[in-house]
Amino acid sequence: MNKKLIFSALIGVSLFSGCIRDIEESFKTIQSVNQVQWDPTIAAPLVNTRLTINDFLNESSSGFIEVDKDNLIHVIYRGDLASLAAKDLVRIPRQEFDGSFTLLPIFITQFETSGSIDLNFTSIFDFDVPGTEMDSILMGSCGVFSELTSEFQHDLEVTIEIPGIKKKDGSSFSLTYDMPYNGSPVVLAKNADITGSFFDLTKSGDKSFGQLLTKFSIKMTKVGNNPITVDDKISFQTNFLYNEYEVIHGLIENADISPGESDTLRLDIFKNIDADLKDLSFRIADPKIKVIIANSYGIPIFADIQEFASFSKKNGKTEATGIPSPLPIPVPTKSQIGETLKDSFELNTTNSNIDDVISQIPDYMIYGYSSEINPGNAVRNFITRNSALSITVDTDIPLYGSTQGFVLNKEVNLDSTFKNLEDVEELDEVSLRLFLENDFPIDVDIQLYFLDENNEAFDSLLNPNQLILKSAVVGADGRIEAPNVYTVDITMNKERFDRIRDAKLGKVVAKLNTYSDGSGNPDVKFFSDYGLSLKLGVQGRGVFNIKTK
Amino acid sequence: MKKNLILTIVALLIGGFAMAQNNLTIYNMKPIPQKFYANPAKHSDAKIFVGVPGVSSYYMDFGLSSFKLKDVVNAISTENGDTTFNFGEFSKGFNDQNYISVSNATDIFSLGFKFKRNYFFVNATVVNNVRVSAPGDFFEFIAQGNGGENLNRTFDFGFGIDMLSYGEIGLGYSRELIKDKLTVGARLHLIKGLGVVNTNNSTFKFTTDQQTYDFLLQSDIEVNTSNSFNSYNGFDPFDSTSTADSLVVQVGDFFTKGNRGQAIDFGVVFKPFKRFEFSASVLNLGKITWNTNNYNWKSDDPTRTYKFTGLDIQNALEFNGDDVETAVNELADTLAQVFDLNENSDEFTTGLFAQVYLGGNFILTKNHNAGILLHGSFYKKRLNPALTFSWNSRLTKVLGVSATYSVINNSFVNAGVGLSLNMGPIQTYFVSDNIIGLFAHDNVNTFNMRAGLNVTLGRKKKEG
């Protein structure tokens, strides 16, 4: 029995030690691994997006987009033909009044006799505002600084009153100075805030338009045996500062307010179009230009458009016709003070050649005008602090029309795109699968060219004519009947992929033709719910050797 | 027909992997009392046995249903100075479902005695089973990708984890109904569930559309967990509120309240002829009801699907990195919403890995016999079968030996051995269904063993 047990034990120990050696060998082999090879084929949906006209326009146009009640998209460029603010037309400069008074000998004698004297006199000052003949001013902000200097060696009490200035509480503007003699010339300054005061500058008596009557009251009391001579005087200086008006009534005199030269408005919606193509035909069916005039000056304004045209590099300048002359500028009456009156006119295909103007694929619009205020000085009226004249031009380009041979070019930066793929060294083959659903009533032949450092195309993403999205069929109601659906496969092997990812720049070229009904190219409309649905999937096969040590 | 039958049997044999105690070798080892765990009608040949507390029976089992160490080594090649691990080659070693399983069972004490034609036995055992399952689809997806031939294929990424820990008191009884002909037995398990992680459902289906490469996702998750120790605070000598009395109350509550179960085993041994013996047993018919300290997660709507059609870029013409980040965040939010899991603490039940044994032995002499044993274990309504051929000998009064060959766990290389040494009343034993696992690890992916120490009294002398 013992022999059997010992024999069994020996076999067991032998097998167990052999087992340990085997395990050690296996783990040594595993530990020697310095790379993991992985060769999967991965497929994934990458992007699912829908591009609408809004997306295209937001990316390419500075105009704003409006959708009308029929869902038709309009691109509208707004430019200011004229703009005149009240502060640019009439400003009240700083007003300065000064003067001095001496005593006649008769008053000196009277003073010496009685020991005091009361004097009253008036003066008229000009409240001067260039280019106007004012009846009144309702002031906004306004401050008064007034300083008196007395050379008399006696006590003084001085009151200055301007009855033509009524403060907000209804009282006349006045300042009182108590100036006891203190051994040297007496100087006293005062400030007053007369914001909201009403200045009566009408013509009356000796006072003409734009003048203020000022009353001075002086009481002088003798001090001891101090002397008094005819050379002693009181000097004053009064300044009106920060003069901002709320309303001016009067005559705003005739002036030419024409701008010096014509202005331009860039229509960047057409910026990527190759307008030099010979076979290009392009037509916007129903463009409009609307001129909106808004005025709150109570003064007649004459304005006349001197130039209104589009300009394209290919076709030069095309003048618009049908513009009224002069422009109808409404003027508020005194009962409409504070109101802004508006008038407008529209250039469209029935009263103008505006469709020709816009269909030139213009780079920009040119406009210039002349204008003058209060022609013939015919009217005395008003101007308020907020009075303004604006003439706004809305160039309305509805996406309604037709085109043939329309080519869009756009360069795209590929550097950052391919930078993310730098680590993909072992990619064997890549297949892109593109699903497109075209709602637009337009045929699109699209291509992406890869450019070298000399901007020369060395490869393209698609085979020629591989991706032509045919227009959806347009029904009798002007809308598409159903979108057209496409599937496009693009396969790249490693060599081609390595070559094109060196490209830093790409050029997207899209050739566009609007829907053809067999007999021609009718005008088609682009509605806001149209879009290009795009789904991109990718399938790639690679052999990756991932170093572990 | 015959061919189909053979293919079916082979498929069943290689398709299964048990998460239960395998007792394929010990089943026919006459001297070892612990064989009653495999068949309660097979009692000890000693009139009395007492398992030495804590060491009378220790069972452990480790299994991999799929690749072996050899598969890893074979996927490694050396060329041009580089030693390369080919992941694609390695992934071929995986099956549709892949498991790693670890089990152990330790007897705290066991006892058995014979009274006339009756045999009584009792045991207290702690059982732990852990099984992590990984779908073969996952490894194929990683290795091959979802493109090419895998387009339109539905991958199931349903990982699963199942852990079960319980303590049981077993009360066994067998009776020789017809002397030397027929014995029947049964064992009742009184169970206290200690902890469980039960992956009731775990599917995460992923399909890539052949045309659009869109991803179609569907998920059905139901995971139930419970931990009986969660409400057990123990005894803290530094806590004035923690007293010995409160400890007694807590321990009492632990054993009497919640997460309890019952199960029963049945067995029969029938010897119709002198040289033939047939036996059968059905084990672990029962369940544990988990109703305390439960934390469960269940898919809000298992029928809900999500189709990923690419990052939803709002405006591709002004595309930049922020758009990708926004789209990815939106996608993550959507996925979290679609595959939301509801939490609950509902009661649930778990089975006990029911098993069935069916054996036949040809008795050469009273101390030597050859046996064939069919074993089936049930895991989540799936039968995992095994087939064992054995030679069983009692060589001397001291030494009992069994040698087995089994087909188990997709592997045809499973040689088992059982040894029992009876030195006076002291019996020690070691049994493994796959001893090759220790020596030929390159080719083998399972290993199990049972070992222990008993005191046996009243043994029969060597016969024949």
Side-chain angles (χ1 to χ4, degrees):
Chain A
M1 184 195 80
N2 286 339
K3 285 180 183 174
K4 287 180 183 172
L5 282 174
I6 291 166
F7 181 68
S8 300
L10 285 174
I11 289 175
V13 169
S14 171
L15 288 172
F16 188 70
S17 61
C19 153
I20 296 297
R21 276 197 304 276
D22 278 356
I23 291 173
E24 282 177 352
E25 283 299 316
S26 296
F27 279 98
K28 271 184 188 172
T29 306
I30 293 168
Q31 283 175 347
S32 68
V33 169
N34 64 354
Q35 68 178 6
V36 175
Q37 190 178 77
W38 181 47
D39 52 357
T41 302
I42 305 291
L46 288 184
V47 175
N48 185 6
T49 189
R50 180 174 171 81
L51 297 170
T52 64
I53 285 287
N54 275 13
D55 296 329
F56 285 111
L57 294 176
N58 285 334
E59 196 269 342
S60 62
S61 166
S62 59
F64 61 92
I65 297 157
E66 273 190 3
V67 177
D68 68 17
K69 60 181 174 23
D70 297 324
N71 272 344
L72 180 66
I73 293 175
H74 299 247
V75 181
I76 295 173
Y77 288 89
R78 172 160 289 178
D80 289 332
L81 182 63
S83 178
L84 182 64
K87 64 182 173 56
D88 298 326
L89 186 63
V90 176
R91 282 178 181 271
I92 302 176
R94 174 189 174 116
Q95 305 288 320
E96 295 182 354
F97 311 135
D98 55 25
S100 61
F101 307 103
T102 57
L103 286 183
L104 295 171
I106 186 172
F107 293 124
I108 291 174
T109 303
Q110 186 182 338
F111 175 70
E112 291 285 12
T113 306
S114 63
S116 67
I117 189 169
D118 293 318
L119 298 170
N120 293 291
F121 57 91
T122 61
S123 182
I124 291 175
F125 300 117
D126 290 332
F127 199 91
D128 188 26
V129 180
T132 66
E133 189 180 272
M134 284 187 293
D135 294 329
S136 67
I137 303 171
L138 176 60
M139 276 293 184
S141 298
C142 186
V144 178
F145 170 80
S146 184
E147 184 180 87
L148 262 63
T149 304
S150 169
E151 295 173 359
F152 290 101
Q153 297 176 37
H154 304 279
D155 295 343
L156 285 176
E157 282 181 32
V158 180
T159 300
I160 301 174
E161 182 189 6
I162 306 177
I165 298 177
K166 299 291 185 190
K167 294 194 290 186
K168 278 195 290 189
D169 61 5
S171 61
S172 298
F173 169 73
S174 69
L175 292 170
T176 300
Y177 300 81
D178 186 8
M179 304 174 72
Y181 178 65
N182 55 12
S184 59
V186 180
V187 179
L188 184 59
K190 289 205 169 188
N191 296 307
D193 180 1
I194 57 169
T195 298
S197 297
F198 178 77
F199 286 45
D200 181 358
L201 301 166
T202 51
K203 184 178 180 182
S204 66
D206 295 336
K207 186 171 77 71
S208 185
F209 295 108
Q211 290 188 326
L212 287 169
L213 176 71
T214 306
K215 293 180 178 176
F216 292 87
S217 297
I218 301 169
K219 180 176 184 180
M220 186 159 59
T221 305
K222 189 172 176 58
V223 175
N225 293 319
N226 288 352
I228 184 167
T229 70
V230 292
D231 295 326
D232 292 339
K233 63 183 179 188
I234 299 171
S235 305
F236 70 92
Q237 176 156 2
T238 301
N239 299 335
F240 287 76
L241 312 170
Y242 320 117
N243 305 310
E244 289 184 359
Y245 59 86
E246 286 294 326
V247 183
I248 293 175
H249 282 85
L251 179 70
I252 310 299
E253 293 172 352
N254 172 248
D256 186 347
I257 54 173
S258 303
E261 55 190 23
S262 297
D263 206 348
T264 58
L265 173 65
R266 181 162 168 71
L267 302 184
D268 52 7
I269 186 175
F270 302 121
K271 67 184 174 190
N272 292 319
I273 299 172
D274 189 348
D276 295 332
L277 294 172
K278 288 178 183 170
D279 298 331
L280 173 66
S281 79
F282 178 80
R283 185 179 119 81
I284 295 290
D286 190 21
K288 295 182 181 73
I289 288 184
K290 190 169 186 180
V291 179
I292 304 153
I293 302 155
N295 179 39
S296 54
Y297 287 105
I299 307 161
I301 297 172
F302 171 86
D304 194 24
I305 291 180
Q306 303 292 308
E307 183 176 30
F308 201 108
S310 66
F311 178 83
S312 75
K313 286 176 199 142
K314 181 184 178 187
N315 300 313
K317 194 185 286 186
T318 306
E319 295 280 355
T321 59
I323 301 166
S325 179
L327 297 181
I329 299 178
V331 179
T333 62
K334 281 190 177 178
S335 63
Q336 293 171 312
I337 190 166
E339 293 181 27
T340 299
L341 302 188
K342 289 186 178 177
D343 202 346
S344 65
F345 65 88
E346 180 182 278
L347 302 181
N348 54 43
T349 54
T350 61
N351 63 10
S352 167
N353 63 340
I354 194 64
D355 49 344
D356 290 337
V357 172
I358 299 299
S359 297
Q360 301 302 316
I361 314 177
D363 298 304
Y364 47 87
M365 300 293 292
I366 306 170
Y367 47 83
Y369 72 101
S370 64
S371 61
E372 61 178 303
I373 190 165
N374 206 3
N377 286 337
V379 176
R380 299 183 78 84
N381 216 315
F382 64 86
I383 178 172
T384 72
R385 178 168 66 96
N386 297 316
S387 286
L389 168 70
S390 71
I391 304 175
T392 305
V393 180
D394 281 352
T395 304
D396 177 357
I397 304 172
L399 298 190
Y400 174 34
S402 62
T403 186
Q404 288 289 300
F406 193 96
V407 175
L408 285 170
N409 292 304
K410 186 177 181 188
E411 287 190 346
V412 290
N413 188 345
L414 298 177
D415 198 22
S416 58
T417 305
F418 289 135
K419 203 171 183 179
N420 296 328
L421 301 173
E422 275 178 0
D423 297 334
V424 185
E425 292 295 339
E426 305 296 338
L427 207 57
D428 213 27
E429 187 174 279
V430 179
S431 296
L432 298 173
R433 178 162 288 181
L434 201 58
F435 295 90
L436 295 154
E437 204 172 277
N438 182 24
D439 289 344
F440 295 125
I442 196 162
D443 297 344
V444 183
D445 179 358
I446 197 164
Q447 182 60 278
L448 170 63
Y449 294 99
F450 299 102
L451 307 182
D452 62 17
E453 60 273 14
N454 300 318
N455 272 13
E456 295 292 329
F458 64 88
D459 201 347
S460 60
L461 183 65
L462 301 158
N463 296 326
N465 302 322
Q466 186 182 3
L467 183 53
I468 299 177
L469 308 179
K470 295 299 288 182
S471 161
V473 174
V474 178
D477 60 354
R479 295 190 61 87
I480 62 160
E481 292 178 350
N484 269 330
V485 180
Y486 295 87
T487 303
V488 179
D489 284 321
I490 304 157
T491 301
M492 272 183 249
N493 58 22
K494 179 174 167 53
E495 290 72 27
R496 187 169 174 227
F497 180 71
D498 286 344
R499 197 168 61 244
I500 66 165
R501 72 176 175 177
D502 286 337
K504 300 284 183 283
L505 212 58
K507 184 178 180 183
V508 178
V509 178
K511 298 173 185 169
L512 311 176
N513 295 309
T514 48
Y515 167 69
S516 169
D517 62 2
S519 61
N521 291 86
D523 292 332
V524 292
K525 293 181 177 178
F526 288 77
F527 296 102
S528 61
D529 56 336
Y530 284 178
L532 180 66
S533 298
L534 185 149
K535 241 171 78 64
L536 178 64
V538 64
Q539 183 171 205
R541 191 183 72 229
V543 179
F544 300 90
N545 288 314
I546 303 159
K547 291 287 181 188
T548 57
K549 287 179 184 172
Chain B
M1 178 66 190
K2 198 172 181 180
K3 189 180 173 186
N4 286 341
L5 182 65
I6 292 168
L7 286 174
T8 305
I9 291 171
V10 170
L12 284 171
L13 288 172
I14 65 175
F17 180 69
M19 182 182 169
Q21 296 178 45
N22 285 336
N23 291 301
L24 303 174
T25 303
I26 203 173
Y27 188 89
N28 286 309
M29 290 197 70
K30 224 172 186 180
I32 303 175
Q34 276 75 10
K35 65 180 179 293
F36 70 70
Y37 289 137
N39 186 336
K42 290 199 167 209
H43 55 73
S44 170
D45 61 355
K47 287 182 178 172
I48 299 172
F49 88 88
V50 178
V52 177
V55 294
S56 66
S57 174
Y58 176 76
Y59 173 86
M60 68 85 66
D61 183 317
F62 170 80
L64 280 171
S65 70
S66 302
F67 73 89
K68 311 168 186 73
L69 193 56
K70 185 181 177 183
D71 295 328
V72 181
V73 174
N74 286 348
I76 296 171
S77 61
T78 301
E79 195 174 342
N80 300 326
D82 284 324
T83 305
T84 304
F85 175 72
N86 189 309
F87 190 75
E89 191 66 31
F90 170 68
S91 70
K92 292 175 184 171
F94 290 95
N95 301 316
D96 288 350
Q97 283 296 324
N98 304 277
Y99 309 102
I100 296 176
S101 170
V102 178
S103 306
N104 69 56
T106 306
D107 280 3
I108 297 169
F109 73 86
S110 58
L111 170 69
F113 60 90
K114 188 175 183 183
F115 180 70
K116 295 184 179 175
R117 290 160 71 178
N118 306 301
Y119 205 97
F120 299 91
F121 46 90
V122 61
N123 69 288
T125 306
V126 175
V127 179
N128 299 295
N129 295 312
V130 178
R131 172 165 146 149
V132 178
S133 60
D137 281 0
F138 174 77
F139 298 102
E140 286 189 25
F141 175 80
I142 296 293
Q144 301 168 9
N146 61 331
E149 293 179 354
N150 285 335
L151 290 171
N152 244 21
R153 169 180 169 179
T154 297
F155 290 93
D156 189 347
F157 298 148
F159 281 80
I161 180 165
D162 289 279
M163 301 171 69
L164 175 62
S165 181
Y166 62 91
E168 69 166 25
I169 292 175
L171 302 172
Y173 170 74
S174 69
R175 179 176 173 82
E176 195 173 18
L177 294 178
I178 303 171
K179 186 169 173 54
D180 294 331
K181 290 277 187 188
L182 179 64
T183 302
V184 297
R187 185 164 73 104
L188 178 67
H189 309 243
L190 302 173
I191 297 167
K192 170 66 183 183
L194 303 177
V196 67
V197 177
N198 176 236
T199 305
N200 207 22
N201 269 321
S202 174
T203 59
F204 190 91
K205 291 182 179 171
F206 174 91
T207 310
T208 307
D209 187 277
Q210 195 165 18
Q211 292 301 316
T212 63
Y213 308 150
D214 290 346
F215 296 156
L216 186 67
L217 310 173
Q218 184 178 14
S219 170
D220 183 4
I221 306 281
E222 184 179 357
V223 178
N224 302 316
T225 70
S226 185
N227 182 358
S228 293
F229 293 100
N230 251 13
S231 57
Y232 177 67
N233 298 325
F235 178 74
D236 182 354
F238 300 104
D239 181 359
S240 60
T241 63
S242 179
T243 64
D245 288 344
S246 67
L247 180 64
V248 169
V249 170
Q250 284 186 52
V251 171
D253 287 349
F254 180 81
F255 283 108
T256 57
K257 290 185 179 175
N259 296 348
R260 299 173 72 182
Q262 300 82 35
I264 193 162
D265 305 339
F266 294 107
V268 61
V269 177
F270 180 48
K271 193 175 175 186
F273 310 109
K274 185 182 176 186
R275 295 200 178 277
F276 289 98
E277 179 183 285
F278 301 100
S279 61
S281 63
V282 181
L283 311 178
N284 295 330
L285 298 177
K287 64 184 181 182
I288 303 174
T289 300
W290 301 89
N291 49 20
T292 305
N293 299 327
N294 292 358
Y295 303 93
N296 309 326
W297 293 268
K298 189 174 182 180
S299 292
D300 183 37
D301 181 1
T303 62
R304 199 177 290 159
T305 59
Y306 178 70
K307 193 174 190 179
F308 176 62
T309 58
L311 291 177
D312 187 6
I313 303 297
Q314 293 302 317
N315 185 350
L317 293 178
E318 295 176 354
F319 177 80
N320 60 44
D322 291 342
D323 292 326
V324 175
E325 190 178 334
T326 303
V328 169
N329 288 339
E330 286 174 358
L331 175 64
D333 291 345
T334 305
L335 287 174
Q337 197 176 357
V338 171
F339 300 120
D340 188 27
L341 293 177
N342 290 330
E343 294 178 24
N344 67 69
S345 56
D346 295 348
E347 177 181 301
F348 62 95
T349 59
T350 54
L352 285 176
F353 312 112
Q355 297 179 68
V356 59
Y357 288 89
L358 194 60
N361 291 70
F362 178 68
I363 299 166
L364 289 169
T365 68
K366 286 196 175 181
N367 289 309
H368 301 280
N369 70 75
I372 181 169
L373 181 65
L374 278 171
H375 172 245
S377 63
F378 295 87
Y379 179 74
K380 293 189 174 176
K381 300 174 184 173
R382 185 170 172 176
L383 173 65
N384 303 303
L387 174 65
T388 300
F389 298 97
S390 65
W391 179 268
N392 310 290
S393 292
R394 188 179 175 191
L395 296 178
T396 68
K397 186 184 176 186
V398 174
L399 181 65
V401 176
S402 283
T404 59
Y405 167 77
S406 298
V407 180
I408 180 172
N409 290 355
N410 301 333
S411 171
F412 291 82
V413 189
N414 298 285
V417 67
L419 296 170
S420 66
L421 284 171
N422 292 283
M423 292 165 287
I426 303 301
Q427 180 191 63
T428 183
Y429 63 92
F430 173 87
V431 185
S432 173
D433 292 331
N434 188 13
I435 194 72
I436 293 176
L438 275 180
F439 306 106
H441 56 278
D442 276 357
N443 297 301
V444 174
N445 53 6
T446 64
F447 172 73
N448 75 354
M449 57 152 278
R450 184 186 290 276
L453 195 64
N454 298 315
V455 176
T456 57
L457 299 171
R459 304 184 63 83
K460 289 181 183 175
K461 292 182 179 176
K462 183 186 175 189
E463 300 171 71

